[in-house]
Structures are given as C-alpha cells and as structure tokens.
Amino acid sequence: MMTLAPNLCFRTIPTKCITVKQQKDPPHQLNSVIPTKPKPCECFDLHKELIPYGKAWSWQKQIVKQKQALIQEHEDCPDSLIILQHNPVYTMGTGSSEKFLNFDMKEAPFDVYRTERGGEVTFHGPGQLVMYPIINLRNHKMDLHWYLRKLEELVIRVLQSSFSIKASRIEGLTGVWFGNQKLAAIGVRVSKWITYHGLALNVTTDLTPFSWIVPCGLQDRQVGSIRGLLQEFQSSTRCSEAVKPISDDDELIDISYKSLIKEFSEVFNLEIHQKTFDFVEDH
Amino acid sequence: MASTMLWASRAASYLRISVFHRGFSTVLKDLKYADSHEWVKVSGNAATIGITDHAQDHLGDVVYVELPEVGAAVKQGDSFGAVESVKATSDVNSPVSGKVIEVNEELSNSPALVNSSPYENGWIIKVEMNDSGDLKNLMDSEEYSKFCEEEDSKH
C-alpha cells in the first residue's frame, strides 16, 4: 500500500468534515452492538476491463430480477458486487435535466444513457473505478440514507488508508469530496430493497469530458481524481526527496481496487467471494 | 338531529386521523396499505394511490417523481413509477391491478407534495381496478401501523 510520506510537507486544503444528519433511530438497537458473522457477497472483478455501459446495465438488471425472484420464494438472497471500468459514456438519472449537458444530444461526444438511478448527469471512463453493489438492504438496514452514507464512508476510508487523502462529505451533496473537488459520485436505484447502480471513483481518469457537462448539476463545483491530487501534493511539497514518486496508472488502479474491496467488505460486513462472469455467455 | 350530527362529526374526525404512540408517522384509518408502503383509497371502482407518511419520512426530500402513462396497465405488487430523493431513486409499487386513468401532473413541478401532503395533494396515480379482490391482500391502518413499527425496530 502506498502512502504519502510526511503529511506535514504538503499544504492541506481545509476540508469541511460535516457529518450528515443521521436518521432518527428507534431507541432499542441491540444488533448494532453485537458483531454478527459477515454474510457472503459474490464479487465480479472486472476492474482491469473496459465494459460497455449498456452491457453492464443489462447485467445489473438481470441480477436484480434474479434476487427479487429468490425473495419472492422466501429463499436466501446473497449480495453481489460488480467492479469495473467503463468506456467513455455519459449517464443521466431519473430526473436529470438536459440543461446540464453542454452539447446538443445529437452531437454528443460519447453515448448518453438515461438510466433509472438517482442523481444528475455524470461521466464514466477509463481510469475511473465503478462499483455496482447489488445488495439486499433487508440483510443490512432498510434505509436509503444509511446506504448512501455507507457508500461515502467506504470511499473516504479508501482515500485515507491508501492515499492519506482526508476526503469528506458535504451535507446535502451526496458524494465524496476533497475541498471543492468531487472525487467520487454516487447514484443508486432501489427496487424492493435491492440496490443497483452505485458509485464511481476517479483514480486516473482524464477529467476533460467532465467539462462538457455540469457534473451532477452542480455549477460551482469541480471534479478531481486521486492522481490529480497526488500530483498537486507532490508539486506543492518542498521536501520532494521524502515523498515517494507517484505510482504508474495501473498501480494506482490496482491499489484503489484492493482498498475498495477491503473497505466495502468491512463497511457492509460482507465476506467477498470472487466469481467470474463471462460476457460471451450473456444472452 | 343535532346530537346525531355531533356524533357523526366526532366519529368522522376519529376515523380520519390516528396518530400512533410512536408519533412519527400518520396513518389514516379509511385507507388500505401495501407492505411496500403505498396507500390506496377506494371509491367505487377507482383507486387513488400514493406513498405513506412513513415512506416519505424515510425517503427525505423527494426531488423527482416518475409517473406512468395514462392508460398503462398496473399489477398488484409491481412497480409503476419511482420517487427520487438524494441521489437514490426507489420504485413505487401498485397496491392494486388495473389501468391508470389519471396521474398527478402537479408532481412534475412540485415533487415535494409527496412529502408535505402524502395522503392528499401528493397522490400519485388513479387506477381503474380490474379486480376488487386485490384489496383483500392489503393491510388496514392498524395492521400497517404495526407493520411499520416492526420494520423499524428491526434496525
């Protein structure tokens, strides 16, 4: 795991570490005190692959349908996780407005998908790790806000533990931030308590395509990446001999992937079982 | 006459609203409820559908409501639309089967009506039922209140 040497060497941008108001909990909540055995979660690791958005989207819906059928038959419904990269694509959420696209739909630089997730327009592309947890909130907490805060928590932990980046939440703006830069975007769909869509973390993403949209509909905010921040930190430090050189892109992706899986399993108390999925077999 | 009217109005106000001891959500007595937190108000063959106070409270501020087309078929237990809040969009399921005869267009401009008035101005669709037997599968207000309490206490 790569960590930046002397934190004291770079200027930290003050971050607002505002915790989101928690939902009111019922008074009796014993099960949060007693640690429970982690439940199994199958993981489809495609983190080194560039998967077309449409394929991944169909795949998610397929898995959601399977899980709903299992629940209908009162069978066990284990959780699933897909982690991958996408070819360049823009995606919009249910209530998304086309006014946040700085181009005509007919002349879009990349494909644009209107999906059923929450949130406004965003970009997915190489260098960005996308996680699609397809989990049964009945196994966890039937609370959407809790789920979103947990997704944020896992990314914050990844950034801290692997890169010493002190990222935070901004109340009212779901996602993970470093100062005014959004490092991870989140948008989910829940159908009968099964989640899909998820989060996207910019690791080594080329951020240029974000400038052709108003990301997440936020005019006065920016988008950042892990590599971008590490480069900033390195260039602003005076004791550069003490700072390790930034790893190459592949290594950054790999470190981020391993950390995302680790924090995901801890935050959701799941035991990861790696599984293979062959797209050739898909319909 | 006067005493009958007085009794009637007292009974009416009792029947209309019942706030249970948890004090968090309102449950109306003359509605039927699905376990996915939708309510239905039946009038003849027409059913008005929305999401409950408990549901809107858990969702938080609704920023978008996805409505079906008038004329679309709906099936009991299946999704007909969605509500979005804070980057999370969730299905709204129909408590009855039938055909959509009206949708609440107001929600396109004011999705927050779902929060402020879940049982009145925040109604979502009206359905012409094709099987009033569907109602038997739903909960009444007391069963629904109990259901909410049990669901909340599990977490």
Side-chain angles (χ1 to χ4, degrees):
Chain A
M1 287 223 208
M2 193 198 91
T3 48
L4 280 184
N7 290 345
L8 23 111
C9 271
F10 57 79
R11 260 175 286 123
T12 45
I13 302 162
T15 55
K16 279 200 302 178
C17 231
I18 300 167
T19 46
V20 173
K21 259 194 321 239
Q22 291 301 311
Q23 282 294 89
K24 38 187 184 276
D25 285 332
H28 39 282
Q29 202 167 349
L30 293 176
N31 55 2
S32 60
V33 179
I34 303 161
T36 51
K37 188 168 176 266
K39 291 200 165 81
C41 176
E42 57 180 12
C43 174
F44 299 99
D45 172 20
L46 296 155
H47 82 274
K48 290 202 216 292
E49 319 267 342
L50 288 182
I51 306 295
Y53 188 81
K55 273 208 151 90
W57 189 20
S58 302
W59 186 22
Q60 287 185 75
K61 287 188 278 196
Q62 205 185 318
I63 296 178
V64 170
K65 258 203 171 101
Q66 284 168 2
K67 290 194 194 299
Q68 286 176 339
L70 285 172
I71 292 172
Q72 195 90 312
E73 284 145 42
H74 303 288
E75 299 229 16
D76 243 350
C77 176
D79 295 336
S80 306
L81 170 68
I82 303 173
I83 180 162
L84 46 66
Q85 296 185 51
H86 280 307
N87 295 311
V89 68
Y90 291 112
T91 67
M92 298 169 74
T94 39
S96 267
S97 171
E98 277 179 31
K99 71 181 190 218
F100 295 128
L101 304 177
N102 296 337
F103 50 78
D104 195 328
M105 279 283 254
K106 295 188 210 85
E107 284 159 21
F110 306 114
D111 285 343
V112 182
Y113 281 84
R114 195 173 258 283
T115 75
E116 69 277 277
R117 63 160 171 81
E120 283 284 351
V121 64
T122 195
F123 169 77
H124 297 303
Q128 184 192 78
L129 281 175
V130 177
M131 274 180 108
Y132 294 131
I134 304 169
I135 69 175
N136 181 1
L137 290 180
R138 286 181 185 77
N139 289 342
H140 303 271
K141 204 166 143 97
M142 289 157 80
D143 182 336
L144 289 187
H145 296 267
W146 173 89
Y147 178 56
L148 293 173
R149 301 293 81 78
K150 282 296 175 191
L151 290 179
E152 287 165 347
E153 184 185 326
L154 93 86
V155 175
I156 290 170
R157 283 162 72 143
V158 165
L159 294 168
Q160 174 63 58
S161 63
S162 297
F163 304 104
S164 294
I165 294 173
K166 272 187 164 49
S168 59
R169 297 180 176 95
I170 295 181
E171 186 164 349
L173 299 180
T174 302
V176 178
W177 300 82
F178 185 84
N180 209 31
Q181 292 182 55
K182 191 184 228 178
L183 302 175
I186 292 171
V188 304
R189 175 70 179 220
V190 181
S191 182
K192 299 195 177 144
W193 298 110
I194 310 283
T195 67
Y196 57 118
H197 294 279
L199 68 89
L201 171 63
N202 296 322
V203 185
T204 60
T205 329
D206 172 5
L207 303 177
T208 318
F210 282 103
S211 62
W212 303 330
I213 55 172
V214 180
C216 309
L218 302 171
Q219 298 276 7
D220 52 356
R221 302 276 175 178
Q222 292 166 342
V223 178
S225 71
I226 293 175
R227 184 183 59 187
L229 282 181
L230 295 179
Q231 280 168 348
E232 261 181 56
F233 295 158
Q234 188 170 66
S235 64
S236 70
T237 188
R238 281 179 199 88
C239 38
S240 49
E241 329 81 57
V243 180
K244 283 166 80 173
I246 295 168
S247 319
D248 69 20
D249 284 5
D250 284 345
E251 217 190 311
L252 283 178
I253 290 276
D254 219 47
I255 292 167
S256 304
Y257 157 73
K258 289 192 173 101
S259 191
L260 280 168
I261 296 296
K262 174 176 177 282
E263 300 300 345
F264 174 81
S265 70
E266 284 186 22
V267 161
F268 289 103
N269 194 27
L270 291 167
E271 190 179 69
I272 302 292
H273 299 269
Q274 294 286 358
K275 274 218 164 144
T276 49
F277 182 87
D278 192 351
F279 270 107
V280 173
E281 285 172 15
D282 183 24
H283 23 264
Chain B
M1 265 304 164
S3 60
T4 314
M5 283 181 67
L6 186 60
W7 175 87
S9 66
R10 275 193 188 147
S13 57
Y14 171 72
L15 285 168
R16 193 121 168 74
I17 290 174
S18 175
V19 180
F20 285 76
H21 66 271
R22 270 184 74 245
F24 293 136
S25 313
T26 307
V27 179
L28 298 192
K29 274 201 171 238
D30 53 355
L31 307 179
K32 288 287 201 185
Y33 300 87
D35 60 8
S36 44
H37 303 285
E38 292 87 14
W39 57 264
V40 58
K41 184 176 186 170
V42 179
S43 177
N45 211 30
T48 307
I49 293 164
I51 65 169
T52 65
D53 189 30
H54 180 273
Q56 72 76 20
D57 187 46
H58 275 58
L59 275 174
D61 293 339
V62 173
V63 299
Y64 180 75
V65 180
E66 189 178 82
L67 298 165
E69 296 283 326
V70 171
V74 292
K75 201 170 144 225
Q76 185 177 59
D78 281 357
S79 162
F80 68 79
V83 284
E84 180 184 343
S85 67
V86 286
K87 306 274 180 152
T89 301
S90 32
D91 283 357
V92 188
N93 303 309
S94 184
V96 297
S97 305
K99 192 176 74 171
V100 178
I101 52 176
E102 206 184 325
V103 301
N104 188 354
E105 303 278 7
E106 273 302 306
L107 295 178
S108 302
N109 298 321
S110 312
L113 284 171
V114 170
N115 297 113
S116 59
S117 181
Y119 298 113
E120 306 266 349
N121 301 327
W123 66 272
I124 304 176
I125 62 170
K126 287 191 174 142
V127 168
E128 187 185 276
M129 294 192 291
N130 55 23
D131 182 9
S132 58
D134 277 346
L135 297 171
K136 286 194 222 85
N137 301 332
L138 302 174
M139 294 180 265
D140 66 23
S141 57
E142 274 188 38
E143 288 167 328
Y144 177 64
S145 295
K146 201 157 163 268
F147 174 78
C148 290
E149 279 187 37
E150 281 167 8
E151 205 178 63
D152 279 348
S153 69
K154 277 190 199 135
H155 313 114

